[in-house]
Amino acid sequence: MNNGKKYQQDLLEGILSADENISLMEVCGTHTMAIAKSGLRQILPPHIKLLSGPGCPVCVTSQGDIDAIIELVQNEDIILVTFGDMMRVPGTRSSLQEERSQGSDVRVAYSPLDALRIARENPQKEVIFLGIGFETTTPAVGLTVQQAREEGVKNFSVFSVHKMVPPALELIFSDPEIQVDGLICPGHVSAVIGVEPYEILAQKYNRPCVITGFETLDILEGIYMLIKQKQKRQARAEIQYRRVVKPEGNPVAREVIARFFEAVPARWRGLGVIPDSGLKLRDEYADLDARKKFNITEMEEVPIKGCACGEVLMGKIMPAECPLFGRGCTPLQPVGPCMVSHEGSCAAYYRFTPAK
Ligand code: SF4
């Protein structure tokens, strides 16, 4: 047995030797996918539970925001540019994919700079970039705003649905209905925000947090570190993913976010409005803010009938406990966003959980 396999075996034995009940939540959609793909959940004993959390940005985009964007793209003078995962996310009556099939100009891009290029190429149209993601993706959008300003591109704007992770984690820890003993914290987001926000949460709620990488060995080690803390009655923030995450995070990326965006209350699908969890462009960039430019007011949130995405995203139920899972709702015909995004918990469970 090589060293890696031996270490993996030791970690697994350490985890399996835990004898008290423990529920851990993986916050990040990439972890959800990695855990589902590795089959880890199936080899853990029933008293060690892995719950999935609200860390898929597509899944938590509010239906009201999707509805507002859908209303915008019905204007034939508008080109909307977004990431591929957003296309099939259901709004109240439609999705961007359906709107495109009806003739709206909705384009998929890999970077906000693609949207700026499209704006330069189409000066007679208004080009809106749908800015989605957590602290990891926001700096690139801020820098694109700066470039648009410097180049004087007047027909470009950003519809920001960017969100920040720590306020959602605070909501989870403070909800007495959610039984979470510790958090498997996101690697990519933490590379920007560092360890401090988790230290504050760990101390305030007396529950451990471990910033974890995405390989199976990383995840096993992260779970082991959380279990060890629980056994020692500790509640600290630790970094397992040391090869990528520095304790101080990335101050340059945080400065870029702070330069272009400010924190505002934001509605998360299924979770409600979370104070200071959204990022809106600062007033000095109002001319590049699509919400201001097109006078968009918040739309009412109409729940999707039968969809339990909110409870899944809060770790209150497992995806298979939704009555529509695998019946009315599948990756080919998704009802809720958790089945649409490739990082959504329902899609991950559907793809990788063996049928009983
Ligand atoms: Fe929503 Fe479908 Fe998941 Fe149910 S199975 S929670 S409807 S995405």
Side-chain angles (χ1 to χ4, degrees), residues 47-85:
H47 65 280
I48 303 178
K49 232 176 161 183
L50 296 183
L51 307 168
S52 301
C56 156
V58 170
C59 305
V60 296
T61 299
S62 85
Q63 206 172 319
D65 280 336
I66 305 277
D67 288 343
I69 293 155
I70 283 172
E71 204 170 292
L72 273 176
V73 301
Q74 288 167 353
N75 179 337
E76 58 184 28
D77 290 328
I78 286 177
I79 300 174
L80 184 90
V81 183
T82 186
F83 297 129
D85 262 8

Side-chain angles (χ1 to χ4, degrees), residues 260-275:
F260 294 99
F261 293 91
E262 61 185 309
V264 286
R267 185 177 292 282
W268 296 51
R269 193 186 288 241
L271 279 68
V273 176
I274 307 181

Side-chain angles (χ1 to χ4, degrees), residues 266-285:
R267 185 177 292 282
W268 296 51
R269 193 186 288 241
L271 279 68
V273 176
I274 307 181
D276 289 338
S277 67
L279 288 166
K280 106 174 207 323
L281 278 172
R282 291 191 174 278
D283 285 346
E284 51 266 48
Y285 301 101

Side-chain angles (χ1 to χ4, degrees), residues 306-310 312 319 322-326 329-330 334-340 346:
C307 174
C309 279
V312 170
C322 169
L324 298 183
F325 181 85
C329 182
T330 64
V335 174
C338 298
M339 194 61 97
V340 175
C346 297

Side-chain angles (χ1 to χ4, degrees), residues 228-273:
K228 280 281 136 210
Q229 282 204 48
K230 182 150 195 295
Q231 286 172 338
K232 291 182 189 163
R233 304 288 175 248
Q234 292 174 336
R236 292 180 292 121
E238 291 183 293
I239 306 175
Q240 179 280 329
Y241 200 26
R242 288 202 168 268
R243 63 189 186 277
V244 171
V245 178
K246 296 192 190 122
E248 70 277 20
N250 183 338
V252 176
R254 288 203 301 277
E255 184 281 320
V256 171
I257 296 174
R259 194 175 348 136
F260 294 99
F261 293 91
E262 61 185 309
V264 286
R267 185 177 292 282
W268 296 51
R269 193 186 288 241
L271 279 68
V273 176

Side-chain angles (χ1 to χ4, degrees), residues 21 28 50 112 125 143 148 151-152 155 170 211-212 214 254 261 301 316 344 351 353:
N21 288 341
C28 164
L50 296 183
K125 299 266 187 169
L143 294 174
E151 289 181 20
N155 63 326
E170 171 127 39
I211 298 167
T212 305
F214 300 100
R254 288 203 301 277
F261 293 91
E301 192 85 350
K316 289 183 178 174
R351 272 184 73 191
T353 308

Side-chain angles (χ1 to χ4, degrees), residues 28 31 183-188 190 209-223 225-226 238-242 245:
C28 164
H31 278 141
L183 295 176
I184 301 169
C185 299
H188 300 142
S190 307
C209 300
V210 174
I211 298 167
T212 305
F214 300 100
E215 302 295 330
T216 305
L217 194 59
D218 292 324
I219 297 168
L220 277 174
E221 195 172 51
I223 293 171
M225 289 163 78
L226 284 164
E238 291 183 293
I239 306 175
Q240 179 280 329
Y241 200 26
R242 288 202 168 268
V245 178

